[in-house]
């Protein structure tokens, strides 16, 4: 269908049909949906007519190829112009084969792994009848109280941008129409949703445009530069106006300055939430503000269907705003080939072959191996000896709650538990497993776990948060492990056995009572369908941990927000070990996080030689090379992530103590070494000035290289005028 035919289709649509095309409903509203029959509930609740449902443009959710085919067929029959539905879903870290949560994948520092996970998710979703995923979530996060940090890739704008690009490439390939089994991506949540005050979901977000552009916006822009087809509005305010009604954000910045002409969808109910936000008195005002801001699709609230027609007919809203929104949706349907093939790749037979295929499970397994982060390993606690008697105890010993939030069509029972994984590696006879509740532990359970521990050579404590303790609206003001788990750690460590803690959680935690007690700690996050198998292989050394943190672990929740790329302030702490009053510090805890951005250990022993620079200055078109030799002085092959940071000593605005600008992964055999080089160019030194111009300044810089953001070597150079 060419542009003229599309325009003709638009002209054939009545105003009512145009308005309905801008509405997205859940499957329950549609004939043929597995969840149909609830149609009276949400239908009446939202005051949506059957007629409107037959004219809607898109559906959110769906339970597989058969349902998708049934709903689409029924819809096409009832829709006067046979305009197909576009189906969208939250395919966040896998469709049925579930990968580690994005914060875990972020810790792999492996863009190809991220891309491949999205490509596999896209293929499984495509054969299940999904056309668009509400992913990647590119919200920069600095506050582990917020439940959705598990859905992000962390606190660095450059790394988040690299991941946003990789995920979009995975979902869309070179283009949704160019390659088979690709689906459209939707970057979210625009904008700066990760900065909710107090880490409390849906709470106020307020920051300068300078801060927003410097830290929070780059990852969204990177996704759009990679061709991301859609954008989703955030629930929060931006400069005092909710994103879904924010014309400066959506029209001036997103569409005019950035040139985005794709589909903009509101988050669930966000258009109508302008009423409780206090910027609209009624649905009608919500509808007007949203369409004026350029929101094309209203997700699961009825402001458009209830009022947009009246607003156009009364002249309060220009019909052209509605037409351009409808046209953007029709163009996306065209790009997805839905007019020619309304079912696209939906195919129950293909679904049975492709979902959970060995190839996909193997990819999820590899992702879990690379996403875990070894936080501590003392006294040779890890890797575990194959012949050792193991007591596997704690709430996650036998739990299948390993998929994490936003696990789409993943089935918990299909997850490999840690007990299954360890038994597969070590043998049934050597493993005694005893579980308990996540926050409750009976005296009998405690006794059974301690008994198991007493009779074992080594104890593996499987600890963490239930998946509903993070994710959307899963915010916690106390980010320690539940107190009964901490009691278990203490009681077990008093036995004097080698003790290893494995953490299954969706956020950086305050690890007091764990990191200081156990001999070794492995952060496994929510590792997905193959999680227990991968963790067990890491524990026994069949794989060597290589993950590196992309969010700082705070000393305590009182330190939040704590992040590596912070400003120095006018009174930086001069001596952490002997605090001097009237400097920026706490009286009761260190300034430094408990574990820094970029941190992670392995079973190898990576040593860094002296770094050197090829020159002590560069010009605007010059290039400086940093060289450092990395040696694996350990007795096992392993993978090191060599990180490069830069610091601008004096900018027009304050500049962070360090900023990640590049990294190189080096896989080294025992005893091997490798010379790692980084190119440093002027464009790496650019930043937003107070007038928002993005450029570099001549002057002094420091460049740092090392295994994380803390343990670095520092060299200096100048950028010439
Ligand atoms: C939710 C989330 C958003 C998700 C949408 C559809 O409220 O904020 O990330 O894509 O609704 O499920």
């Amino acid at each position: 269908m060419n542009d003229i035919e599309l325009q003709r289709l638009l002209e054939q649509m009545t105003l009512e049909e145009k308005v309905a095309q801008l509405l997205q409903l859940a499957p329950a509203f549609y004939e043929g949906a597995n969840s149909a029959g609830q149609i009276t509930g949400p239908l009446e609740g939202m005051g949506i007519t059957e007629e409107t449902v037959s004219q809607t443009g898109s559906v959110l959710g769906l339970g597989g190829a058969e349902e998708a085919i049934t709903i689409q067929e029924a819809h096409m029959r009832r829709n006067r112009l046979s305009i197909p539905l576009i189906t969208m879903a939250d395919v966040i870290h896998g469709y049925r084969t579930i990968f580690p949560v994005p914060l875990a994948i972020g810790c792999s520092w492996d863009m190809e792994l991220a891309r491949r996970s999205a490509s596999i998710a896209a293929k499984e979703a495509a054969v299940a009848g999904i056309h668009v995923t509400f992913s990647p979530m590119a919200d920069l996060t600095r506050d582990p109280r917020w439940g959705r940090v598990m859905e992000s890739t962390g606190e660095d704008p450059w790394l988040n941008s690299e991941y946003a690009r990789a995920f979009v490439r995975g979902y869309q390939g070179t283009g949704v129409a160019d390659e088979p089994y690709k689906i459209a991506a939707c970057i979210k949540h625009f904008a700066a949703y990760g900065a909710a005050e107090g880490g409390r979901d849906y709470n106020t977000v307020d920051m300068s445009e300078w801060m927003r552009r410097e830290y929070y916006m780059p990852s969204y822009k990177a996704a759009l530069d990679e061709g991301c087809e859609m954008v989703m509005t955030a629930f929060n305010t931006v400069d005092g106006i909710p994103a879904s009604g924010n014309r400066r954000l959506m029209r001036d910045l997103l569409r005019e300055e950035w040139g985005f002409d794709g589909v903009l969808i509101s988050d669930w109910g966000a258009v109508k939430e302008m009423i409780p936000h206090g910027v609209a008195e009624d649905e009608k005002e919500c509808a007007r503000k949203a369409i004026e801001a350029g929101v094309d699709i209203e997700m699961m609230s009825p402001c458009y269907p209830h009022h947009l027609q009246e607003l156009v007919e009364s002249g309060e809203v220009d019909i052209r705003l509605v037409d351009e929104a409808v046209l953007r949706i029709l163009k996306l349907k065209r790009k997805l080939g839905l007019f020619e093939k309304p079912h696209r790749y939906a195919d129950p037979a293909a679904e049975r072959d492709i979902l959970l295929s060995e190839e996909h499970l193997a990819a999820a397994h590899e992702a879990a191996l690379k996403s875990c982060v070894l936080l501590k390993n003392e006294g040779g606690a890890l890797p575990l000896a194959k012949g050792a008697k193991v007591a596997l105890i704690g709430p996650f010993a036998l739990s299948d709650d390993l998929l994490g939030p936003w696990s789409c069509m993943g089935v918990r029972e299909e997850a490999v538990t840690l007990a299954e994984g360890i038994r597969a590696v070590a043998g049934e006879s050597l493993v005694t497993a005893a579980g308990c509740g996540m926050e409750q532990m009976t005296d009998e359970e405690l006794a059974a776990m301690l008994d198991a521990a007493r009779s074992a050579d080594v104890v593996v404590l499987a600890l963490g948060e239930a998946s509903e303790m993070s994710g959307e609206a899963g915010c916690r003001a106390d980010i320690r492990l539940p107190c009964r788990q901490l009691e278990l750690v203490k009681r077990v460590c008093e036995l004097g056995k080698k003790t290893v803690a494995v953490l299954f959680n969706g956020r950086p935690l305050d690890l007091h009572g764990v990191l200081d007690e156990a001999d070794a700690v492995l952060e496994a996050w929510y590792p997905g369908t193959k999680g227990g198998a991968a963790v067990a292989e890491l524990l026994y050394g069949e794989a060597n941990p290589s993950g590196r943190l992309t969010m700082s672990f705070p000393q305590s929740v009182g330190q939040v927000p704590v992040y590596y790329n912070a400003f120095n302030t006018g009174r930086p702490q001069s001596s952490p070990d002997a605090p001097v009053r009237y400097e920026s510090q706490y009286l009761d805890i260190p300034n430094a996080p408990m574990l820094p951005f970029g941190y992670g250990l392995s079973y190898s022993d990576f040593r860094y030689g002296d770094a050197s620079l090829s020159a002590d200055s560069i010009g605007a078109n010059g290039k400086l090379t940093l060289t450092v030799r990395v040696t694996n002085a350990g007795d096992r092959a392993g993978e090191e992530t060599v990180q490069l940071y830069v610091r601008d000593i004096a900018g027009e605005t304050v500049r962070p103590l360090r900023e990640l600008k590049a990294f190189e992964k080096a896989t080294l055999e025992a005893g091997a070494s490798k010379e790692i080089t980084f190119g440093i160019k002027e464009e790496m030194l650019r930043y937003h000035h107070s007038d928002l111009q993005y450029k570099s300044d001549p002057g002094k810089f420091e460049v740092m290289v090392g295994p994380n953001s803390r343990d670095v070597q520092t060299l200096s150079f100048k950028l010439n005028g």
Side-chain angles (χ1 to χ4, degrees):
M1 186 181 280
N2 62 36
D3 285 354
I4 294 170
E5 290 165 323
L6 217 53
Q7 185 62 37
R8 194 173 300 135
L9 174 59
L10 177 70
E11 288 159 4
Q12 291 173 41
M13 293 171 77
T14 65
L15 177 54
E16 185 183 0
E17 287 167 332
K18 290 177 181 177
V19 168
Q21 190 66 209
L22 309 186
L23 176 61
Q24 179 174 92
L25 296 173
F29 288 83
Y30 293 88
E31 177 190 338
N34 300 339
S35 52
Q38 304 160 19
I39 207 158
T40 49
L43 196 69
E44 286 169 349
M46 282 176 61
I48 302 283
T49 66
E50 297 271 359
E51 185 58 22
T52 300
V53 174
S54 74
Q55 299 164 346
T56 54
S58 62
V59 59
L60 157 61
L62 289 189
E66 284 180 16
E67 181 183 52
I69 291 167
T70 306
I71 286 180
Q72 188 73 289
E73 280 173 348
H75 187 79
M76 299 280 286
R77 278 197 305 276
R78 298 174 56 195
N79 184 283
R80 181 177 71 88
L81 294 167
S82 297
I83 300 173
L85 280 168
I86 187 169
T87 64
M88 305 186 186
D90 293 287
V91 185
I92 308 295
H93 52 105
Y95 176 77
R96 175 71 177 275
T97 302
I98 302 303
F99 286 80
V101 291
L103 186 58
I105 289 182
C107 292
S108 72
W109 293 56
D110 186 335
M111 298 308 145
E112 174 49 25
L113 178 151
R115 184 206 63 78
R116 183 141 186 269
S117 72
S119 180
I120 287 170
K123 185 170 186 178
E124 292 195 354
V127 297
I130 301 299
H131 306 144
V132 177
T133 178
F134 295 134
S135 176
M137 185 272 221
D139 305 329
L140 184 135
T141 57
R142 292 172 166 171
D143 192 330
R145 291 172 292 183
W146 191 44
R148 301 192 77 163
V149 299
M150 50 61 59
E151 208 178 335
S152 78
T153 46
E155 69 194 42
D156 182 73
W158 178 78
L159 202 58
N160 287 348
S161 301
E162 293 302 295
Y163 276 115
R165 288 191 186 90
F167 285 126
V168 169
R169 281 199 304 275
Y171 292 128
Q172 299 187 172
T174 54
V176 290
D178 303 347
E179 293 179 47
Y181 302 120
K182 292 303 177 186
I183 59 178
C186 176
I187 193 73
K188 67 186 183 183
H189 303 80
F190 199 67
Y193 180 26
E197 280 181 5
R200 200 179 78 219
D201 215 345
Y202 319 120
N203 203 3
T204 301
V205 167
D206 193 46
M207 66 180 75
S208 65
E209 184 166 8
W210 168 74
M211 169 63 71
R212 194 164 51 241
R213 284 184 179 256
E214 187 64 8
Y215 284 93
Y216 289 83
M217 301 302 258
S219 49
Y220 307 122
K221 182 70 168 52
L224 297 178
D225 291 346
E226 199 65 35
C228 188
E229 293 289 352
M230 283 185 60
V231 174
M232 182 186 291
T233 68
F235 289 118
N236 53 275
T237 54
V238 172
D239 299 333
I241 300 174
S244 302
N246 194 315
R247 292 174 57 167
R248 281 199 62 236
L249 178 68
M250 300 302 182
R251 287 229 182 258
D252 300 350
L253 174 64
L254 179 64
R255 295 206 187 276
E256 293 304 313
E257 183 183 329
W258 287 6
F260 176 69
D261 192 33
V263 174
L264 175 62
I265 188 170
S266 74
D267 201 340
W268 186 296
V271 168
K272 187 169 180 179
E273 287 178 9
M274 281 193 260
I275 297 172
H277 265 300
V279 294
E281 288 185 356
D282 51 32
E283 286 183 359
K284 182 177 177 182
E285 194 172 3
C286 293
R288 181 177 59 74
K289 291 196 166 189
I291 198 71
E292 288 177 348
V295 173
D296 300 315
I297 299 178
E298 178 182 13
M299 184 198 296
M300 281 302 284
S301 61
C303 305
Y304 280 3
H306 285 176
H307 301 285
L308 204 45
Q309 181 168 343
E310 169 202 348
L311 283 163
V312 169
E313 287 166 348
S314 68
E316 291 178 75
V317 167
D318 188 325
I319 179 65
R320 286 174 297 180
L321 295 185
V322 173
D323 285 348
E324 70 180 35
V326 174
L327 210 48
R328 282 192 280 261
I329 295 166
L330 296 180
K331 283 180 177 176
L332 181 57
K333 293 184 178 182
R334 176 178 65 178
K335 186 178 275 192
L336 288 161
L338 294 178
F339 289 107
E340 293 76 26
K341 287 182 62 185
H343 301 314
R344 205 160 181 267
Y345 294 108
D347 178 344
E351 207 176 21
R352 284 188 291 275
D353 294 341
I354 289 169
L355 272 55
L356 290 173
S357 70
E358 284 312 309
E359 178 197 351
H360 292 180
L361 289 169
H365 189 144
E366 184 200 359
L369 289 172
K370 293 196 168 183
S371 303
C372 295
V373 186
L374 184 58
L375 304 180
K376 179 182 181 183
N377 186 23
E378 293 177 359
L382 288 176
L384 299 176
K386 274 287 178 65
K389 276 192 71 179
V390 176
L392 171 61
I393 60 178
F396 274 94
L398 300 156
S399 170
D400 57 11
D401 187 16
L402 304 184
L403 305 187
W406 294 112
S407 52
C408 202
M409 299 300 280
V411 176
R412 271 181 63 156
E413 292 72 20
E414 290 166 352
V416 177
T417 66
L418 185 53
E420 289 161 345
I422 287 183
R423 284 175 171 144
V425 174
E428 291 279 343
S429 61
L430 287 171
V431 183
T432 306
C436 62
M438 206 57 64
E439 300 184 81
Q440 303 306 326
M441 192 181 306
T442 65
D443 292 342
E444 293 72 22
E445 287 170 333
L446 182 57
M449 291 188 283
L450 292 176
D451 285 348
R454 288 188 191 94
S455 60
D457 301 319
V458 63
V459 181
V460 176
L461 282 163
L463 310 167
E465 300 174 307
S467 52
E468 68 264 8
M469 292 166 73
S470 57
E472 182 173 357
C475 303
R476 296 179 65 206
D478 182 347
I479 56 172
R480 292 172 298 177
L481 284 176
C483 56
R484 290 288 271 163
Q485 292 188 40
L486 294 174
E487 181 188 344
L488 175 64
V489 175
K490 194 164 183 54
R491 296 291 298 277
V492 165
C493 291
E494 284 166 355
L495 300 176
K497 302 267 182 176
K498 281 275 185 245
T499 303
V500 174
V502 181
L503 303 175
F504 298 94
N505 48 294
R507 58 166 47 86
L509 295 169
D510 168 355
L511 290 179
H512 283 98
V514 182
L515 205 65
D516 44 325
E517 292 279 351
D519 298 299
V521 181
L522 180 70
E523 175 58 76
W525 308 109
Y526 294 110
T529 306
K530 296 290 281 184
V535 171
E537 287 162 22
L538 289 166
L539 292 176
Y540 280 90
E542 295 190 359
N544 191 350
S546 59
R548 298 290 182 267
L549 297 178
T550 60
M551 261 192 97
S552 308
F553 273 54
Q555 295 284 347
S556 81
V557 73
Q559 191 180 46
V560 169
V562 62
Y563 46 94
Y564 90 93
N565 43 2
F567 302 127
N568 200 25
T569 79
R571 295 200 177 185
Q573 189 178 45
S574 56
S575 57
D577 299 333
V580 174
R581 205 162 177 95
Y582 305 114
E583 291 181 348
S584 181
Q585 64 207 2
Y586 300 100
L587 294 175
D588 51 352
I589 60 169
N591 281 10
M594 180 176 279
L595 297 167
F597 175 87
Y599 178 84
L601 303 174
S602 85
Y603 298 145
S604 304
D605 176 6
F606 294 111
R607 307 280 175 83
Y608 284 65
D610 293 339
S612 63
L613 283 177
S614 57
D616 57 13
S617 69
I618 47 171
N621 302 314
K623 179 179 168 184
L624 203 54
T625 301
L626 180 142
T627 304
V628 63
R629 177 166 291 277
V630 179
T631 300
N632 179 356
D635 58 4
R636 303 171 48 89
E639 184 178 81
E640 173 65 326
T641 300
V642 184
Q643 300 159 38
L644 182 86
Y645 296 86
V646 167
R647 180 185 180 186
D648 185 344
I649 298 302
E652 188 257 352
T653 64
V654 293
R655 307 289 295 118
L657 282 163
R658 55 202 62 177
E659 294 176 281
L660 179 71
K661 290 296 179 182
F663 65 89
E664 284 291 329
K665 293 171 90 72
T667 300
L668 295 172
E669 292 300 321
S673 72
K674 182 178 181 183
E675 196 166 78
I676 305 290
T677 61
F678 291 101
I680 298 160
K681 299 177 185 170
E682 177 273 334
E683 61 250 30
M684 294 162 83
L685 312 177
R686 296 176 189 168
Y687 67 99
H688 289 90
H689 287 55
S690 58
D691 62 0
L692 303 184
Q693 283 195 62
Y694 188 69
K695 58 184 181 180
S696 63
D697 303 319
K700 293 179 183 173
F701 289 81
E702 289 178 340
V703 57
M704 292 145 268
V705 66
N708 58 63
S709 60
R710 177 190 66 198
D711 309 318
V712 293
Q713 294 180 64
T714 302
L715 301 166
S716 299
F717 70 94
K718 278 187 70 179
L719 174 65
N720 299 323

